[in-house]
Amino acid sequence: MFPYYFLRFSGPILMFLIGVKILSGYALSGNVISETLSKLHREDFIDNLLIPLFLFHGFYGLRLFLIELGIDRERFLFWLFTLLSLIAYGLMYFFLF
């Protein structure tokens, strides 16, 4: 049940964070005049929220897709995709930061 609620809450949060990231990128390029937004684009805090949220949302979405196809091992798929998300985040963190 956790992944279902996670998908419902992470979707709007992802849309907000991606919007902030795009808007702050415009501010950094000079298209939007806001020094606060251009500083926000350089902060790792948003990236550290955005990347794992994106990974977990995507992997739990794949899990839900497999369940809808008829694979009836929900607990196994939950732990499998949670582990895959953690490994992917660990690799991305290691190579990006």
Side-chain angles (χ1 to χ4, degrees):
M1 193 59 120
F2 169 74
Y4 292 107
Y5 288 120
F6 182 81
L7 284 171
R8 270 41 171 204
F9 289 113
S10 66
I13 295 170
L14 273 171
M15 288 177 26
F16 174 75
L17 288 175
I18 290 172
V20 167
K21 198 69 173 171
I22 290 170
L23 190 61
S24 64
Y26 279 133
L28 188 63
S29 68
N31 293 337
V32 176
I33 300 173
S34 176
E35 194 168 316
T36 305
L37 279 176
S38 62
K39 287 180 185 177
L40 187 62
H41 192 76
R42 294 185 187 108
E43 291 292 324
D44 288 338
F45 178 73
I46 290 182
D47 293 338
N48 284 329
L49 285 177
L50 188 63
I51 291 172
L53 197 62
F54 178 76
L55 287 171
F56 277 97
H57 186 85
F59 277 112
Y60 285 159
L62 287 175
R63 174 195 167 270
L64 184 62
F65 179 72
L66 290 175
I67 289 171
E68 293 293 325
L69 282 178
I71 297 175
D72 200 27
R73 299 188 58 189
E74 288 190 35
R75 185 173 295 251
F76 172 74
L77 289 174
F78 169 74
W79 289 112
L80 175 69
F81 283 110
T82 299
L83 184 64
L84 287 174
S85 298
L86 289 172
I87 290 170
Y89 177 63
L91 289 172
M92 289 183 80
Y93 189 82
F94 178 74
F95 288 113
L96 291 179
F97 301 111

XYZ file of all heavy atoms in Angstrom:
819
model
N 0.810 -1.187 0.000
C 0.000 0.000 0.000
C 0.865 1.269 0.000
O 0.462 2.283 -0.543
C -0.916 -0.048 1.228
C -1.988 0.975 1.160
S -3.010 0.775 -0.278
C -4.558 0.519 0.420
N 2.056 1.176 0.600
C 2.950 2.337 0.650
C 3.289 2.878 -0.741
O 3.233 4.094 -0.959
C 4.224 1.995 1.432
C 5.297 3.026 1.306
C 5.207 4.237 1.972
C 6.390 2.804 0.485
C 6.179 5.192 1.834
C 7.372 3.757 0.348
C 7.267 4.956 1.022
N 3.658 1.997 -1.714
C 4.010 2.549 -3.036
C 2.865 3.297 -3.712
O 3.101 4.268 -4.428
C 4.408 1.313 -3.845
C 4.850 0.327 -2.840
C 3.976 0.561 -1.645
N 1.630 2.858 -3.486
C 0.497 3.562 -4.094
C 0.399 4.991 -3.563
O 0.211 5.932 -4.314
C -0.808 2.809 -3.831
C -0.885 1.482 -4.536
C -0.767 0.296 -3.826
C -1.071 1.409 -5.901
C -0.833 -0.926 -4.469
C -1.135 0.187 -6.556
C -1.016 -0.968 -5.823
O -1.073 -2.174 -6.465
N 0.512 5.128 -2.248
C 0.458 6.469 -1.658
C 1.693 7.289 -2.033
O 1.617 8.488 -2.243
C 0.314 6.399 -0.143
C -1.051 5.934 0.288
C -1.200 4.792 1.053
C -2.193 6.631 -0.084
C -2.449 4.356 1.443
C -3.445 6.203 0.291
C -3.572 5.072 1.060
O -4.811 4.642 1.433
N 2.840 6.612 -2.098
C 4.067 7.312 -2.479
C 3.938 7.905 -3.879
O 4.339 9.048 -4.116
C 5.259 6.351 -2.410
C 6.559 7.014 -2.746
C 7.230 7.754 -1.801
C 7.094 6.922 -4.021
C 8.422 8.377 -2.113
C 8.276 7.535 -4.340
C 8.946 8.270 -3.380
N 3.371 7.131 -4.804
C 3.191 7.631 -6.166
C 2.245 8.822 -6.199
O 2.461 9.775 -6.951
C 2.657 6.527 -7.080
C 3.666 5.475 -7.514
C 2.965 4.332 -8.229
C 4.733 6.069 -8.389
N 1.195 8.779 -5.384
C 0.228 9.885 -5.378
C 0.829 11.167 -4.816
O 0.499 12.256 -5.260
C -0.993 9.510 -4.519
C -2.155 8.823 -5.194
C -1.792 7.824 -6.134
N -2.862 6.994 -6.671
C -2.613 5.813 -7.140
N -1.399 5.325 -7.099
N -3.568 5.101 -7.691
N 1.708 11.055 -3.819
C 2.294 12.246 -3.224
C 3.556 12.713 -3.936
O 3.858 13.903 -3.975
C 2.596 12.011 -1.737
C 1.373 11.939 -0.888
C 1.007 10.761 -0.276
C 0.564 13.049 -0.715
C -0.135 10.687 0.500
C -0.581 12.991 0.055
C -0.929 11.797 0.664
N 4.319 11.772 -4.493
C 5.572 12.169 -5.129
C 5.352 12.840 -6.479
O 6.176 13.654 -6.895
C 6.502 10.965 -5.285
O 5.964 10.022 -6.182
N 4.263 12.533 -7.158
C 3.984 13.152 -8.454
C 3.888 14.668 -8.375
O 4.612 15.383 -9.085
N 3.012 15.220 -7.524
C 2.936 16.687 -7.403
C 4.224 17.315 -6.875
O 4.605 18.402 -7.306
C 1.789 16.918 -6.430
C 0.976 15.685 -6.493
C 1.923 14.571 -6.806
N 4.902 16.615 -5.971
C 6.168 17.152 -5.453
C 7.204 17.204 -6.563
O 7.964 18.172 -6.679
C 6.662 16.315 -4.248
C 5.689 16.457 -3.079
C 8.063 16.739 -3.828
C 5.954 15.504 -1.939
N 7.248 16.166 -7.398
C 8.161 16.161 -8.539
C 7.851 17.300 -9.505
O 8.768 17.965 -10.002
C 8.077 14.830 -9.296
C 8.965 13.715 -8.817
C 8.603 12.425 -9.517
C 10.411 14.045 -9.035
N 6.570 17.510 -9.776
C 6.208 18.606 -10.681
C 6.657 19.949 -10.117
O 7.171 20.798 -10.858
C 4.693 18.595 -10.929
C 4.273 17.447 -11.800
S 2.504 17.234 -12.110
C 1.785 18.803 -11.938
N 6.501 20.144 -8.823
C 6.935 21.395 -8.196
C 8.448 21.555 -8.265
O 8.963 22.609 -8.653
C 6.453 21.442 -6.746
C 6.976 22.621 -5.990
C 6.452 23.890 -6.211
C 7.997 22.479 -5.071
C 6.940 24.988 -5.532
C 8.491 23.567 -4.386
C 7.967 24.832 -4.606
N 9.191 20.495 -7.890
C 10.653 20.587 -7.879
C 11.228 20.768 -9.284
O 12.185 21.524 -9.474
C 11.258 19.345 -7.223
C 11.087 19.224 -5.720
C 11.630 17.887 -5.229
C 11.772 20.373 -5.002
N 10.661 20.091 -10.264
C 11.132 20.265 -11.642
C 10.832 21.676 -12.126
O 11.648 22.304 -12.809
C 10.525 19.189 -12.565
C 11.137 17.829 -12.221
C 10.763 19.521 -14.031
C 10.478 16.662 -12.917
N 9.671 22.202 -11.759
C 9.349 23.591 -12.109
C 10.319 24.577 -11.485
O 10.761 25.530 -12.149
N 10.663 24.361 -10.222
C 11.646 25.233 -9.559
C 12.997 25.128 -10.246
O 13.678 26.131 -10.463
C 11.753 24.878 -8.055
C 12.953 25.530 -7.415
C 10.484 25.273 -7.328
N 13.386 23.913 -10.607
C 14.675 23.710 -11.271
C 14.712 24.400 -12.639
O 15.712 25.033 -12.994
C 14.926 22.206 -11.419
C 16.339 21.855 -11.686
C 17.214 22.131 -10.491
C 18.588 21.602 -10.747
N 19.541 22.013 -9.745
N 13.623 24.310 -13.397
C 13.569 24.964 -14.712
C 13.582 26.480 -14.551
O 14.318 27.189 -15.243
C 12.329 24.493 -15.495
C 12.503 23.044 -15.921
C 12.081 25.376 -16.717
C 11.246 22.427 -16.492
N 12.768 26.986 -13.642
C 12.709 28.426 -13.420
C 14.038 28.972 -12.913
O 14.486 30.042 -13.347
C 11.584 28.766 -12.440
C 11.247 30.236 -12.285
C 10.784 30.826 -13.610
C 10.167 30.410 -11.226
N 14.699 28.239 -12.031
C 15.995 28.700 -11.537
C 17.058 28.628 -12.630
O 18.005 29.421 -12.646
C 16.421 27.898 -10.308
O 16.624 26.543 -10.638
N 16.920 27.685 -13.566
C 17.834 27.629 -14.714
C 17.668 28.841 -15.612
O 18.644 29.392 -16.122
N 16.405 29.272 -15.805
C 16.168 30.503 -16.558
C 16.764 31.703 -15.840
O 17.318 32.604 -16.467
C 14.679 30.733 -16.773
C 14.089 29.951 -17.909
C 12.902 29.252 -17.734
C 14.700 29.909 -19.152
C 12.346 28.527 -18.773
C 14.158 29.196 -20.193
C 12.984 28.506 -20.000
O 12.437 27.789 -21.034
N 16.648 31.730 -14.527
C 17.219 32.844 -13.763
C 18.742 32.842 -13.860
O 19.371 33.898 -13.919
C 16.785 32.757 -12.301
N 19.337 31.666 -13.880
C 20.789 31.568 -13.992
C 21.273 32.043 -15.361
O 22.335 32.662 -15.467
C 21.220 30.116 -13.754
C 22.699 29.837 -13.636
C 23.274 30.547 -12.425
C 22.944 28.350 -13.529
N 20.479 31.791 -16.402
C 20.877 32.220 -17.747
C 20.604 33.700 -17.994
O 21.041 34.247 -18.990
C 20.161 31.379 -18.806
O 18.783 31.665 -18.801
N 19.852 34.334 -17.106
C 19.583 35.758 -17.243
C 18.237 36.079 -17.851
O 17.902 37.240 -18.022
N 17.457 35.066 -18.211
C 16.140 35.310 -18.798
C 15.122 35.785 -17.764
O 14.181 36.476 -18.107
C 15.621 34.057 -19.495
C 16.441 33.700 -20.707
O 17.099 34.558 -21.286
N 16.432 32.439 -21.088
N 15.286 35.361 -16.529
C 14.440 35.817 -15.427
C 15.376 36.495 -14.429
O 16.368 35.912 -14.005
C 13.715 34.637 -14.748
C 12.916 35.118 -13.552
C 12.822 33.930 -15.740
N 15.073 37.711 -14.080
C 15.970 38.453 -13.188
C 15.569 38.181 -11.748
O 14.600 38.729 -11.234
C 15.930 39.962 -13.495
C 16.360 40.185 -14.933
C 16.819 40.725 -12.522
C 16.206 41.603 -15.410
N 16.305 37.287 -11.120
C 16.109 36.972 -9.716
C 17.381 36.326 -9.196
O 17.736 35.220 -9.596
C 14.925 36.030 -9.517
O 14.830 35.673 -8.172
N 18.047 37.028 -8.323
C 19.303 36.506 -7.790
C 19.061 35.317 -6.869
O 19.868 34.395 -6.808
C 20.040 37.614 -7.032
C 21.470 37.263 -6.755
C 22.245 38.470 -6.282
O 22.101 39.546 -6.862
O 22.993 38.292 -5.312
N 17.939 35.322 -6.176
C 17.615 34.208 -5.282
C 17.412 32.921 -6.069
O 17.902 31.865 -5.675
C 16.338 34.529 -4.474
O 16.511 35.762 -3.805
C 16.048 33.433 -3.478
N 16.700 33.002 -7.192
C 16.481 31.813 -8.012
C 17.768 31.302 -8.645
O 17.983 30.098 -8.740
C 15.455 32.096 -9.103
C 13.995 32.035 -8.708
C 13.119 32.435 -9.879
C 13.624 30.661 -8.215
N 18.636 32.207 -9.067
C 19.892 31.745 -9.670
C 20.794 31.082 -8.635
O 21.503 30.135 -8.955
C 20.616 32.909 -10.355
O 20.958 33.900 -9.430
N 20.738 31.534 -7.390
C 21.497 30.857 -6.328
C 20.884 29.495 -6.013
O 21.597 28.547 -5.694
C 21.512 31.713 -5.057
C 22.396 32.920 -5.139
C 22.345 33.695 -3.844
C 23.137 34.974 -3.940
N 23.039 35.766 -2.708
N 19.578 29.417 -6.110
C 18.880 28.171 -5.819
C 19.238 27.077 -6.827
O 19.272 25.900 -6.480
C 17.367 28.424 -5.830
C 16.448 27.306 -5.395
C 16.729 26.939 -3.942
C 15.011 27.727 -5.553
N 19.533 27.461 -8.055
C 19.886 26.477 -9.080
C 21.215 25.793 -8.772
O 21.423 24.639 -9.136
C 19.955 27.147 -10.453
C 20.033 26.178 -11.574
N 18.932 25.473 -12.007
C 21.072 25.758 -12.344
C 19.290 24.681 -12.997
N 20.570 24.838 -13.222
N 22.091 26.476 -8.103
C 23.410 25.912 -7.797
C 23.415 25.056 -6.532
O 24.403 24.391 -6.247
C 24.422 27.039 -7.645
C 24.671 27.774 -8.929
C 25.777 28.799 -8.757
N 25.897 29.593 -9.942
C 25.531 30.861 -10.032
N 25.015 31.470 -8.985
N 25.685 31.519 -11.151
N 22.347 25.087 -5.761
C 22.274 24.325 -4.517
C 22.073 22.837 -4.798
O 21.277 22.458 -5.646
C 21.123 24.828 -3.640
C 21.333 26.200 -3.070
C 22.437 26.246 -2.040
O 22.598 25.268 -1.279
O 23.141 27.264 -1.999
N 22.790 22.008 -4.058
C 22.640 20.561 -4.206
C 21.415 20.032 -3.473
O 21.019 18.893 -3.678
C 23.880 19.837 -3.680
C 25.071 20.013 -4.601
O 24.844 20.310 -5.792
O 26.209 19.861 -4.135
N 20.810 20.848 -2.620
C 19.678 20.400 -1.824
C 18.510 19.966 -2.710
O 17.917 18.900 -2.496
C 19.231 21.509 -0.860
C 18.040 21.151 -0.044
C 18.165 20.242 0.998
C 16.799 21.694 -0.305
C 17.073 19.881 1.762
C 15.702 21.345 0.448
C 15.837 20.441 1.495
N 18.189 20.754 -3.715
C 17.076 20.400 -4.608
C 17.427 19.156 -5.411
O 16.584 18.283 -5.605
C 16.703 21.576 -5.522
C 16.067 22.670 -4.700
C 15.774 21.143 -6.640
C 15.612 23.857 -5.478
N 18.662 19.048 -5.865
C 19.070 17.850 -6.608
C 18.995 16.609 -5.728
O 18.602 15.534 -6.197
C 20.487 18.006 -7.146
C 20.585 19.067 -8.215
O 19.545 19.379 -8.826
O 21.693 19.585 -8.434
N 19.377 16.741 -4.467
C 19.313 15.606 -3.555
C 17.885 15.227 -3.194
O 17.649 14.134 -2.691
C 20.113 15.881 -2.285
C 21.601 15.764 -2.526
O 22.036 14.984 -3.362
N 22.383 16.532 -1.803
N 16.938 16.095 -3.402
C 15.523 15.740 -3.262
C 14.962 15.205 -4.574
O 14.213 14.230 -4.590
C 14.698 16.963 -2.844
C 14.794 17.423 -1.415
C 13.970 18.689 -1.230
C 14.308 16.351 -0.477
N 15.338 15.838 -5.656
C 14.755 15.534 -6.960
C 15.178 14.162 -7.491
O 14.338 13.388 -7.962
C 15.155 16.628 -7.952
C 14.511 16.625 -9.315
C 13.015 16.825 -9.190
C 15.111 17.727 -10.161
N 16.442 13.842 -7.398
C 16.944 12.592 -7.985
C 16.361 11.357 -7.304
O 15.822 10.483 -7.983
C 18.486 12.579 -8.007
C 18.992 13.614 -9.006
C 19.019 11.195 -8.360
C 20.478 13.834 -8.978
N 16.424 11.229 -5.957
C 15.833 10.004 -5.379
C 14.320 9.951 -5.535
O 13.754 8.874 -5.742
C 16.235 10.051 -3.909
C 16.622 11.431 -3.635
C 17.074 12.024 -4.933
N 13.660 11.096 -5.472
C 12.215 11.115 -5.661
C 11.860 10.649 -7.072
O 10.929 9.866 -7.259
C 11.684 12.523 -5.398
C 10.209 12.676 -5.152
C 9.801 11.907 -3.905
C 9.867 14.138 -4.979
N 12.607 11.109 -8.057
C 12.395 10.690 -9.439
C 12.645 9.191 -9.603
O 11.864 8.483 -10.255
C 13.315 11.491 -10.365
C 13.218 11.113 -11.799
C 12.140 11.526 -12.564
C 14.191 10.326 -12.394
C 12.039 11.168 -13.898
C 14.102 9.968 -13.719
C 13.020 10.390 -14.474
N 13.718 8.686 -9.020
C 14.049 7.266 -9.149
C 12.993 6.382 -8.487
O 12.528 5.405 -9.078
C 15.425 6.986 -8.545
C 16.611 7.490 -9.342
C 17.885 7.352 -8.541
C 16.723 6.752 -10.653
N 12.633 6.708 -7.247
C 11.636 5.901 -6.557
C 10.286 5.971 -7.267
O 9.593 4.968 -7.382
C 11.499 6.338 -5.096
C 12.527 5.726 -4.207
C 13.676 6.414 -3.871
C 12.357 4.453 -3.693
C 14.627 5.867 -3.049
C 13.309 3.880 -2.872
C 14.443 4.585 -2.551
N 9.910 7.144 -7.733
C 8.644 7.295 -8.441
C 8.645 6.446 -9.718
O 7.672 5.751 -10.009
C 8.406 8.772 -8.782
C 7.076 9.050 -9.376
N 5.960 9.253 -8.614
C 6.681 9.164 -10.663
C 4.927 9.477 -9.401
N 5.336 9.434 -10.661
N 9.733 6.480 -10.445
C 9.827 5.699 -11.674
C 9.830 4.203 -11.427
O 9.115 3.446 -12.095
N 10.619 3.757 -10.458
C 10.687 2.322 -10.187
C 9.390 1.796 -9.586
O 8.970 0.682 -9.901
C 11.874 1.992 -9.279
C 13.174 1.854 -10.021
C 14.185 2.782 -9.857
C 13.386 0.801 -10.883
C 15.378 2.666 -10.546
C 14.580 0.667 -11.575
C 15.580 1.594 -11.399
N 8.750 2.569 -8.723
C 7.464 2.123 -8.183
C 6.391 2.141 -9.268
O 5.458 1.348 -9.226
C 7.036 2.976 -6.995
C 7.803 2.680 -5.729
C 7.872 3.610 -4.709
C 8.449 1.468 -5.523
C 8.568 3.352 -3.545
C 9.153 1.202 -4.382
C 9.205 2.144 -3.394
O 9.893 1.887 -2.243
N 6.513 3.033 -10.234
C 5.605 3.013 -11.375
C 5.790 1.752 -12.209
O 4.812 1.149 -12.663
N 7.035 1.329 -12.417
C 7.293 0.063 -13.122
C 6.741 -1.119 -12.343
O 6.182 -2.057 -12.923
C 8.798 -0.124 -13.341
C 9.448 0.753 -14.391
C 10.956 0.535 -14.386
C 8.884 0.442 -15.753
N 6.878 -1.067 -11.024
C 6.334 -2.116 -10.170
C 4.820 -2.207 -10.338
O 4.261 -3.297 -10.486
C 6.692 -1.822 -8.718
C 6.074 -2.759 -7.729
C 6.190 -2.173 -6.313
N 5.351 -2.902 -5.424
C 4.082 -2.608 -5.167
N 3.522 -1.583 -5.753
N 3.373 -3.329 -4.330
N 4.171 -1.067 -10.333
C 2.724 -1.038 -10.500
C 2.316 -1.570 -11.876
O 1.336 -2.305 -12.001
C 2.211 0.391 -10.301
C 0.719 0.593 -10.353
C 0.040 -0.178 -9.239
C 0.399 2.066 -10.231
N 3.096 -1.247 -12.885
C 2.838 -1.746 -14.236
C 2.928 -3.269 -14.277
O 2.081 -3.937 -14.883
C 3.830 -1.106 -15.210
C 3.680 -1.571 -16.621
C 2.600 -1.175 -17.386
C 4.626 -2.404 -17.188
C 2.453 -1.603 -18.695
C 4.492 -2.848 -18.489
C 3.405 -2.439 -19.249
N 3.947 -3.827 -13.635
C 4.101 -5.287 -13.616
C 2.964 -5.961 -12.850
O 2.500 -7.037 -13.241
C 5.452 -5.664 -13.013
C 6.667 -5.333 -13.865
C 7.940 -5.652 -13.104
C 6.620 -6.075 -15.180
N 2.511 -5.343 -11.783
C 1.386 -5.901 -11.034
C 0.123 -5.885 -11.879
O -0.654 -6.836 -11.875
C 1.200 -5.129 -9.705
C 2.349 -5.455 -8.756
C -0.128 -5.479 -9.049
C 2.385 -4.596 -7.514
N -0.068 -4.798 -12.628
C -1.241 -4.717 -13.504
C -1.175 -5.741 -14.639
O -2.206 -6.157 -15.162
C -1.378 -3.312 -14.089
C -1.702 -2.251 -13.070
C -3.084 -2.429 -12.465
O -4.004 -2.865 -13.183
O -3.228 -2.129 -11.272
N 0.025 -6.152 -15.031
C 0.168 -7.189 -16.054
C -0.157 -8.577 -15.523
O -0.302 -9.515 -16.302
C 1.587 -7.189 -16.618
C 1.912 -6.096 -17.623
C 3.372 -6.193 -18.050
C 1.010 -6.181 -18.838
N -0.219 -8.723 -14.202
C -0.609 -10.001 -13.632
C 0.433 -10.666 -12.764
O 0.201 -11.760 -12.251
N 1.593 -10.054 -12.599
C 2.594 -10.622 -11.699
C 2.103 -10.380 -10.277
O 1.905 -9.246 -9.851
C 3.976 -9.988 -11.926
C 4.442 -10.307 -13.338
C 4.974 -10.496 -10.903
C 5.727 -9.638 -13.724
N 1.902 -11.469 -9.539
C 1.201 -11.376 -8.264
C 2.140 -11.494 -7.061
O 1.752 -12.017 -6.028
C 0.122 -12.468 -8.204
C -0.930 -12.157 -7.170
O -1.141 -10.969 -6.893
O -1.530 -13.115 -6.645
N 3.347 -11.019 -7.202
C 4.306 -11.084 -6.089
C 4.609 -9.671 -5.628
O 5.718 -9.171 -5.794
C 5.552 -11.807 -6.552
C 5.224 -13.242 -6.991
C 6.421 -14.038 -7.261
N 7.273 -14.081 -6.079
C 8.488 -14.578 -6.077
N 8.984 -15.090 -7.165
N 9.213 -14.567 -4.983
N 3.628 -9.031 -5.030
C 3.746 -7.623 -4.683
C 4.866 -7.350 -3.689
O 5.601 -6.386 -3.832
C 2.418 -7.106 -4.125
C 1.355 -6.970 -5.170
C 0.137 -6.250 -4.657
O 0.278 -5.329 -3.846
O -0.969 -6.630 -5.073
N 4.980 -8.170 -2.668
C 6.010 -7.944 -1.648
C 7.410 -8.063 -2.252
O 8.287 -7.244 -1.989
C 5.837 -8.909 -0.488
C 6.781 -8.651 0.660
C 6.447 -9.523 1.832
N 5.134 -9.160 2.346
C 4.934 -8.540 3.497
N 5.961 -8.234 4.249
N 3.737 -8.238 3.896
N 7.614 -9.079 -3.072
C 8.912 -9.256 -3.729
C 9.229 -8.080 -4.639
O 10.347 -7.557 -4.636
C 8.928 -10.570 -4.522
C 10.146 -10.733 -5.378
C 11.372 -11.029 -4.808
C 10.072 -10.572 -6.754
C 12.507 -11.166 -5.596
C 11.186 -10.708 -7.555
C 12.409 -11.009 -6.967
N 8.240 -7.665 -5.427
C 8.459 -6.538 -6.338
C 8.738 -5.251 -5.568
O 9.546 -4.429 -5.998
C 7.255 -6.355 -7.259
C 7.063 -7.417 -8.331
C 5.760 -7.190 -9.069
C 8.227 -7.435 -9.289
N 8.064 -5.071 -4.427
C 8.318 -3.880 -3.612
C 9.781 -3.832 -3.179
O 10.461 -2.820 -3.348
C 7.400 -3.872 -2.389
C 7.776 -2.823 -1.386
C 7.513 -1.485 -1.640
C 8.410 -3.154 -0.206
C 7.868 -0.512 -0.728
C 8.762 -2.189 0.707
C 8.489 -0.860 0.453
N 10.275 -4.924 -2.615
C 11.656 -4.930 -2.138
C 12.653 -4.889 -3.289
O 13.709 -4.254 -3.186
C 11.909 -6.135 -1.238
C 11.214 -5.971 0.071
C 10.156 -6.683 0.535
C 11.504 -4.995 1.076
N 9.775 -6.215 1.755
C 10.586 -5.182 2.124
C 12.447 -3.984 1.197
C 10.584 -4.395 3.260
C 12.447 -3.194 2.338
C 11.532 -3.396 3.359
N 12.324 -5.540 -4.395
C 13.212 -5.513 -5.559
C 13.372 -4.092 -6.093
O 14.493 -3.614 -6.298
C 12.674 -6.429 -6.661
C 13.441 -6.392 -7.982
C 14.815 -7.020 -7.806
C 12.664 -7.085 -9.070
N 12.253 -3.400 -6.301
C 12.330 -2.063 -6.867
C 12.826 -1.031 -5.854
O 13.432 -0.036 -6.242
C 10.997 -1.659 -7.487
C 10.770 -2.317 -8.812
C 9.812 -3.298 -8.961
C 11.539 -1.983 -9.900
C 9.615 -3.918 -10.179
C 11.355 -2.597 -11.126
C 10.392 -3.573 -11.268
N 12.610 -1.274 -4.575
C 13.203 -0.406 -3.561
C 14.720 -0.555 -3.584
O 15.455 0.442 -3.553
C 12.650 -0.745 -2.171
O 11.236 -0.547 -2.166
C 13.283 0.126 -1.098
N 15.197 -1.786 -3.659
C 16.635 -2.029 -3.730
C 17.240 -1.459 -5.007
O 18.306 -0.828 -4.969
C 16.910 -3.533 -3.629
C 18.368 -3.959 -3.590
C 19.030 -3.421 -2.328
C 18.470 -5.468 -3.632
N 16.557 -1.642 -6.139
C 17.050 -1.072 -7.388
C 17.106 0.454 -7.336
O 18.042 1.066 -7.850
C 16.172 -1.524 -8.561
C 16.304 -2.967 -9.006
C 15.262 -3.290 -10.060
C 17.696 -3.250 -9.506
N 16.121 1.059 -6.704
C 16.119 2.522 -6.560
C 17.278 2.987 -5.700
O 17.943 3.980 -6.023
C 14.805 2.994 -5.932
O 13.720 2.667 -6.739
N 17.531 2.289 -4.605
C 18.640 2.668 -3.735
C 19.984 2.493 -4.434
O 20.878 3.333 -4.293
C 18.597 1.851 -2.443
C 17.471 2.203 -1.482
C 17.418 1.203 -0.338
C 17.653 3.609 -0.950
N 20.130 1.415 -5.180
C 21.385 1.197 -5.917
C 21.569 2.273 -6.985
O 22.662 2.832 -7.137
C 21.404 -0.215 -6.539
C 21.538 -1.261 -5.440
C 22.525 -0.350 -7.559
C 21.335 -2.683 -5.920
N 20.511 2.579 -7.720
C 20.607 3.612 -8.760
C 20.931 4.969 -8.141
O 21.750 5.720 -8.686
C 19.296 3.693 -9.547
N 20.314 5.289 -7.001
C 20.619 6.560 -6.347
C 22.061 6.579 -5.838
O 22.756 7.587 -5.968
C 19.662 6.837 -5.191
C 20.000 8.106 -4.465
C 19.944 9.327 -5.120
C 20.399 8.098 -3.140
C 20.268 10.504 -4.472
C 20.722 9.270 -2.486
C 20.649 10.464 -3.153
O 20.976 11.625 -2.508
N 22.516 5.473 -5.283
C 23.899 5.405 -4.818
C 24.891 5.614 -5.945
O 25.874 6.343 -5.811
N 24.639 4.986 -7.077
C 25.522 5.163 -8.241
C 25.470 6.597 -8.768
O 26.506 7.179 -9.099
C 25.140 4.187 -9.347
C 25.465 2.717 -9.084
C 24.863 1.838 -10.164
C 26.962 2.513 -8.994
N 24.275 7.157 -8.842
C 24.159 8.538 -9.334
C 24.827 9.510 -8.373
O 25.483 10.455 -8.796
C 22.699 8.906 -9.547
C 22.083 8.193 -10.730
S 20.416 8.690 -11.030
C 20.701 10.217 -11.896
N 24.658 9.286 -7.083
C 25.283 10.167 -6.101
C 26.795 10.077 -6.183
O 27.504 11.076 -6.103
C 24.796 9.814 -4.683
C 25.228 10.804 -3.650
C 24.526 11.969 -3.455
C 26.355 10.578 -2.866
C 24.904 12.897 -2.520
C 26.749 11.499 -1.923
C 26.035 12.648 -1.743
O 26.427 13.571 -0.815
N 27.301 8.858 -6.357
C 28.740 8.652 -6.441
C 29.323 9.339 -7.677
O 30.390 9.960 -7.598
C 29.047 7.150 -6.481
C 30.508 6.832 -6.612
C 31.359 6.999 -5.541
C 31.019 6.372 -7.807
C 32.708 6.707 -5.648
C 32.363 6.073 -7.933
C 33.207 6.244 -6.850
N 28.642 9.242 -8.813
C 29.187 9.803 -10.029
C 28.858 11.283 -10.241
O 29.571 11.984 -10.952
C 28.721 8.995 -11.243
C 29.385 7.654 -11.336
C 28.649 6.503 -11.161
C 30.738 7.551 -11.572
C 29.265 5.259 -11.240
C 31.367 6.330 -11.645
C 30.615 5.163 -11.471
N 27.754 11.780 -9.663
C 27.368 13.174 -9.893
C 27.894 14.130 -8.833
O 28.188 15.282 -9.123
C 25.847 13.296 -9.972
C 25.192 12.661 -11.191
C 23.678 12.837 -11.115
C 25.726 13.284 -12.461
N 27.966 13.674 -7.595
C 28.377 14.588 -6.527
C 29.719 14.182 -6.034
O 30.372 14.544 -5.260
C 27.348 14.588 -5.401
C 25.975 14.995 -5.852
C 24.949 14.075 -5.885
C 25.721 16.283 -6.260
C 23.697 14.440 -6.296
C 24.477 16.654 -6.676
C 23.454 15.731 -6.686
